[in-house]
Amino acid sequence: MDINAPIGVFDSGVGGLTVVREIIRQLPNENVVYFGDTARVPYGSKSREIIIEYSRQIVHFLKTKKVKAIVIACNTASAYALDTLIPEVDVPIIGVVLPGAKTAAKATVNGKIGVLGTTGTIGSGIYTKILHEYNPAFMVVGKACPLFVPLVEEGMIDDPVTVEMASRYLKPLMAYGVDTIVLGCTHYPLIRSTIRNVVGDNVTLVNPAYETAVSLRTLLQKQGIYRDCGEPTYRFYVSDGAAKFSSFANSILPVELVETRLVPIEEY
Ligand code: DGL
């Protein structure tokens, strides 16, 4: 495997950029190819079968870019498609759920953990299952927040509507006394400060992106394919709305102006 080959990263839209941001911080020499399925976002309300089909097409596309590893930077696709795709792909592939659950298990003091996610992720029960493998006594309270993804995709980060929705979603969760909340959708770290304002300072907010980048680096090092020198390149692809995606990416990534290309993803 070529050490200079890029890491493939994908999500339904801009959310996975929170994982790319962390990869840039922690693995600063790695080349990255990102795909955002902006024509078909949101994934969170779709069925397992559809998510597997979409994810498979994206993996086929990323393989044409000769990626050396793939990160599913989407909790919904990690929950529904990761296990199916692992045996189908000849490069290592990781998701964001396991790293997120691991961080939450380490962070909680009172054993009460809240998980925010899409309807699909919460409905799959995957966080509860993994957290109970760490400790069966954990109380895990899931809360689906289906409006967060469209609000983020529309760039309504500090909008009063987003503040209102955060309050409606989070207040019932806080009533359980959780001391740790997993941002179990890669879009949610983009509205972290709004979430923080609702839950206060005494709750640990877990962004699985950090631990995902740690896991990725460990994996690449183990396989002898970690790129630790040289200038990186970043390439971005979407299935719709390239200009809108570029301007969003430019506002959150610490890299030079991002250019985004369109891909007819159904053909893969
Ligand atoms: N950002 C994705 C996730 O982490 C998908 C959100 C969506 O498209 O509904 O679940």
Side-chain angles (χ1 to χ4, degrees):
M1 180 54 71
D2 179 6
I3 205 167
N4 296 314
I7 313 284
V9 182
F10 75 90
D11 178 45
S12 61
V14 297
L17 293 174
T18 58
V19 178
V20 172
R21 189 164 61 179
E22 209 45 56
I23 292 174
I24 292 172
R25 274 189 202 131
Q26 294 189 41
L27 297 80
N29 306 104
E30 290 292 355
N31 299 308
V32 175
V33 175
Y34 183 87
F35 179 80
D37 202 357
T38 45
R40 305 189 290 198
V41 66
Y43 278 12
S45 51
K46 296 189 171 73
S47 68
R48 177 184 298 273
E49 292 68 31
I50 288 290
I51 299 303
I52 291 174
E53 185 189 322
Y54 288 179
S55 302
R56 189 179 277 132
Q57 287 171 346
I58 297 167
V59 164
H60 289 168
F61 164 71
L62 291 173
K63 284 288 295 168
T64 68
K65 300 294 168 199
K66 308 262 183 285
V67 294
K68 63 180 177 184
I70 293 174
V71 179
I72 304 186
C74 171
N75 287 262
T76 315
S78 300
Y80 281 163
L82 179 62
D83 289 349
T84 304
L85 291 174
I86 286 173
E88 295 181 8
V89 190
D90 60 358
V91 295
I93 173 163
I94 62 168
V96 284
V97 171
L98 214 57
K102 183 179 164 191
T103 314
K106 279 197 264 176
T108 185
V109 175
N110 71 4
K112 297 179 183 177
I113 301 170
V115 180
L116 308 180
T118 65
T119 307
T121 300
I122 299 305
S124 76
I126 189 162
Y127 272 101
T128 310
K129 183 172 161 278
I130 296 172
L131 283 165
H132 281 162
E133 282 164 16
Y134 281 99
N135 184 347
F138 281 158
M139 186 183 96
V140 184
V141 189
K143 180 73 187 159
C145 310
L147 291 181
F148 278 168
V149 167
L151 289 167
V152 170
E153 287 287 327
E154 288 307 317
M156 294 169 72
I157 305 294
D158 297 315
D159 194 275
V161 177
T162 309
V163 175
E164 168 64 22
M165 286 319 302
S167 167
R168 285 203 211 180
Y169 286 144
L170 290 158
K171 285 208 168 129
L173 188 66
M174 293 307 291
Y176 287 94
V178 298
D179 72 351
T180 302
I181 294 180
V182 183
L183 305 180
C185 169
T186 52
H187 283 71
Y188 300 174
L190 294 165
I191 50 167
R192 187 192 182 106
S193 59
T194 304
I195 293 171
R196 168 64 72 206
N197 285 342
V198 177
V199 301
D201 291 334
N202 295 329
V203 171
T204 303
L205 293 180
V206 172
N207 174 3
Y210 178 85
E211 198 63 32
T212 301
V214 173
S215 304
L216 176 64
R217 195 182 51 220
T218 308
L219 174 84
L220 296 174
Q221 282 168 336
K222 265 196 199 147
Q223 305 225 348
I225 50 172
Y226 177 56
R227 188 175 194 255
D228 59 5
C229 60
E231 276 301 302
T233 59
Y234 304 110
R235 285 178 287 158
F236 296 86
Y237 298 86
V238 290
S239 46
D240 197 15
K244 183 175 164 199
F245 180 90
S246 288
S247 85
F248 197 103
N250 280 319
S251 71
I252 68 155
L253 292 181
V255 290
E256 286 295 299
L257 193 79
V258 168
E259 240 192 77
T260 309
R261 295 194 185 152
L262 278 181
V263 176
I265 197 67
E266 297 86 0
E267 292 173 13
Y268 287 85

